């Protein structure tokens, strides 16, 4: 289960919309060990592609140094799909394996529909050739009205709204 503030969901979707039709990528980070995302870090898609993403290695290093200095960790690594569903591709699983972020949530945002963004979360374990991709529910914290235009999963009952 990914629990995430609605502001951060909206930030990821806004970034994905802004970079459409290229794929957007970025991170949500939070205090080390908390599992709680507090900060949105939009990143550059070094591939500048409509079908692929890769983090810019220099930028990745800078962000990592900053997280290290702040005792933060990656809670979510996200990217967008601009013409296909919000489900990790084989290369996405390879990237997840190479990032080596145990416990991270991989969020996919699909901007293929202009009216409604699709937001789904996964855990990805194992190596690139034999990745185990598991979808997990998303619990959006706060302001359920604001997120009604997003479709979170194929099975609506998996999405829990917590109205605080
Ligand atoms: Zn992808």
């Amino acid at each position: 289960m990914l629990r995430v503030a609605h502001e951060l969901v909206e930030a990821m979707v806004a970034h994905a919309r802004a970079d459409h039709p290229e794929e957007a990528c970025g991170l949500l980070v939070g205090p080390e060990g908390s599992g709680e995302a507090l900060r949105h870090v939009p990143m550059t898609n070094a591939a500048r592609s409509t079908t692929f993403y890769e983090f810019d290695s220099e930028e990745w290093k800078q962000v990592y140094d900053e997280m290290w200095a702040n005792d933060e960790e990656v809670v979510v690594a996200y990217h967008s799909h601009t013409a296909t569903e919000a489900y990790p591709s084989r290369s996405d699983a390879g990237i997840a394996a190479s990032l080596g972020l145990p416990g991270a949530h991989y969020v996919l945002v699909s901007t293929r529909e202009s009216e409604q963004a699709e937001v789904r979360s996964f855990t990805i374990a194992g190596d690139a050739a034999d990745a185990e991709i598991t979808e997990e529910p998303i619990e959006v914290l706060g302001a359920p009205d604001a997120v009604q235009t997003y479709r979170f999963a194929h099975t609506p009952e998996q999405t829990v709204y917590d109205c605080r």
Side-chain angles (χ1 to χ4, degrees):
M1 157 97 66
L2 170 64
R3 305 178 82 245
V4 62
H6 75 96
E7 291 93 339
L8 293 172
V9 174
E10 283 149 30
M12 291 189 290
V13 172
H15 182 207
R17 287 268 185 237
D19 282 11
H20 187 92
E22 290 180 359
E23 293 195 8
C25 58
L27 307 170
L28 302 181
V29 306
E32 197 173 359
S34 71
E36 185 185 8
L38 294 182
R39 197 159 68 84
H40 175 221
V41 185
M43 304 272 287
T44 303
N45 179 0
R48 294 200 133 293
S49 165
T50 59
T51 56
F52 185 73
Y53 85 101
E54 59 185 341
F55 290 114
D56 179 89
S57 56
E58 275 301 305
E59 188 179 32
W60 179 260
K61 189 181 175 307
Q62 282 171 18
V63 167
Y64 237 81
D65 288 347
E66 202 178 309
M67 285 194 304
W68 183 261
N70 293 336
D71 293 324
E72 291 176 317
E73 66 183 1
V74 174
V75 179
V76 169
Y78 73 89
H79 75 283
S80 64
H81 284 175
T82 58
T84 57
E85 68 173 331
Y87 193 88
S89 67
R90 190 174 289 266
S91 65
D92 292 340
I95 290 172
S98 68
L99 290 177
L101 302 170
H105 306 270
Y106 292 88
V107 167
L108 275 285
V109 177
S110 175
T111 55
R112 63 179 165 170
E113 292 174 36
S114 57
E115 298 294 308
Q116 192 178 47
E118 186 183 345
V119 182
R120 297 168 70 180
S121 183
F122 304 85
T123 57
I124 303 177
D127 57 31
D130 188 26
E132 190 180 323
I133 297 170
T134 308
E135 184 158 12
E136 61 183 356
I138 300 176
E139 181 179 3
V140 180
L141 306 176
D145 286 354
V147 296
Q148 276 177 2
T149 54
Y150 306 150
R151 179 150 37 87
F152 285 98
H154 286 308
T155 48
E157 62 273 14
Q158 283 191 332
T159 304
V160 183
Y161 291 107
D162 180 347
C163 309
R164 278 180 294 179

